[in-house]
Amino acid sequence: MSLSREQMLVEMGVAPLWVLRDQARQQPASVAPEVPAAAEPVLGAELPALAPKPASVQAPPVAATEAPRPRPVMVPGSAVTVDGLDWPELKTQVAGCRACGLCEQRRQAVFGVGDENPDWLFIGEGPGADEDVQGEPFVGQAGKLLDNMLAALDISRGNKVYIANAVKCRPPGNRTPEAAEMAACWPYLERQIALLKPKIIVLLGKAAVHAVLHDDKSLASMRGKPFEYAGIPVVVTYHPAYLLRNLPDKSKAWEDLLFARRTLRERMAPELPF
Ligand code: SF4
C-alpha cells in the first residue's frame, strides 16, 4: 500500500505536515503549523517557481565556502581499470569482478539502480543480505525508509535518482567495508559518477563519505556543510540503516535532504521540478 505524503513525513519523523509559508500566513494563528527554526519552511507541498534572488541575498556558490578536496587515494595495485567503459561494459566487468576479497562470499555484485540521467545520486555503503539476494541496492527495511525519504522529496529511484554503493559486493556479516575494499572498488563508482553526471550527490553514512571524499571526520561534524566532488555538490547524511536504529535522528536526515535540495536549487536552474 503506498503512503500519502503526510504518512511519508510521519515515517520520516518530521510530521506534522509542513506547508508553504504563504499558505501558513493565510491560516488563523491557532491552526498554523509549527515549523522548526533550523529546518526549511517549505515541506509537504509543491514548491512555487523560483524567482531570481536579489543580489544581496544570493547564496554563495558551494565552491566559495569549501576548499577543493583531494580525490580519494587508491591503494597501490588496485586491479580495477575502467577507462572508457560504457554502461554495458562497466556492468559486465562489475558482475565478474574479483578485485578484492568481497567477491568470495557474494551471491552477486550489486551494480546500482535508477535513472541513468539523474539529478540525484545517493551513495550508500555496500549490499546487505537482501541486496545480495535481489541484486539491487537498498531493499529491505532500510530501502523502504530511503524510498520514503525520496518520495517525500517527490523523487524516486527510477525518477531523477540513481542509487549506488561504495562497494558492489556484500561484506560478510554486513560489516563495514574496509578501506582497502572501498579503494579497490572505487574505480567502478568513479566511472558511474562520470557516466551519470548527477547534479548532486548525497552520501549516506561514513563509508560513503570515506569512499568519495576520503574524509573520516564524524558525520555529525560534516552534516549541513557543502562539499564537492569533481565539481558536483556533495551533501552528507546518515545511512537509513542507522536511522532505523536511531529514530530521533530521522528528523536530522530530513533536514539534510532539504539542505541538499536547497543546494541543488541554488546551484542549478530554477526550472528543476522541486
Ligand atoms: Fe570487485 Fe568491488 Fe566486488 Fe571488490 S567489492 S570484488 S572491487 S566489485
Side-chain angles (χ1 to χ4, degrees):
M1 182 179 68
S2 63
L3 299 176
S4 69
R5 171 70 62 79
E6 188 163 10
Q7 287 172 315
M8 283 184 269
L9 292 172
V10 169
E11 173 66 19
M12 285 296 302
V14 294
L17 185 65
W18 298 354
V19 300
L20 290 170
R21 189 175 269 159
D22 287 346
Q23 292 174 351
R25 284 198 197 101
Q26 292 165 9
Q27 294 178 16
S30 60
V31 297
E34 294 183 7
V35 179
E40 184 171 276
V42 180
L43 283 177
E46 292 298 327
L47 293 170
L50 293 177
K53 292 182 178 177
S56 61
V57 296
Q58 196 77 42
V62 171
T65 59
E66 191 70 20
R69 297 195 164 255
R71 295 183 60 186
V73 178
M74 296 299 100
V75 287
S78 175
V80 174
T81 56
V82 295
D83 292 347
L85 295 187
D86 61 17
W87 276 115
E89 292 167 336
L90 189 62
K91 290 175 182 175
T92 298
Q93 184 165 322
V94 168
C97 181
R98 302 189 65 80
C100 81
L102 295 183
C103 69
E104 300 295 339
Q105 297 183 46
R106 73 179 180 212
R107 296 192 188 199
Q108 58 188 314
V110 179
F111 183 78
V113 68
D115 189 337
E116 293 181 357
N117 184 28
D119 291 335
W120 300 72
L121 171 59
F122 288 81
I123 299 175
E125 182 174 300
D130 294 329
E131 290 80 7
D132 187 48
V133 170
Q134 298 186 38
E136 181 172 329
F138 285 97
V139 294
Q141 290 305 309
K144 286 179 184 173
L145 177 55
L146 179 60
D147 285 340
N148 286 339
M149 293 160 71
L150 301 181
L153 291 170
D154 276 340
I155 53 179
S156 66
R157 61 177 67 201
N159 175 26
K160 299 293 183 184
V161 173
Y162 195 90
I163 303 171
N165 277 317
V167 296
K168 311 304 185 196
C169 302
R170 180 193 179 199
N174 290 348
R175 65 164 169 77
T176 301
E178 296 172 358
E181 293 161 347
M182 288 190 280
C185 209
W186 164 250
Y188 294 132
L189 183 57
E190 180 182 42
R191 185 66 184 149
Q192 284 178 303
I193 296 172
L195 289 169
L196 292 166
K197 299 180 178 64
K199 297 182 175 72
I200 192 163
I201 297 173
V202 180
L203 302 178
L204 303 167
K206 279 201 71 171
V209 171
H210 177 92
V212 176
L213 298 178
H214 203 63
D215 200 319
D216 288 320
K217 293 193 193 80
S218 70
L219 277 183
S221 70
M222 298 180 77
R223 289 182 53 244
K225 296 177 182 173
F227 297 92
E228 270 196 16
Y229 167 78
I232 303 166
V234 175
V235 168
V236 170
T237 192
Y238 298 108
H239 192 285
Y242 166 86
L243 295 175
L244 291 173
R245 301 189 302 269
N246 298 273
L247 299 182
D249 282 343
K250 277 186 177 179
S251 59
K252 294 179 183 175
W254 180 239
E255 288 176 19
D256 296 337
L257 293 181
L258 294 177
F259 173 61
R261 183 168 67 176
R262 195 164 57 245
T263 300
L264 181 56
R265 289 169 59 192
E266 289 172 352
R267 276 289 287 256
M268 308 309 298
E271 66 267 20
L272 288 172
F274 40 77

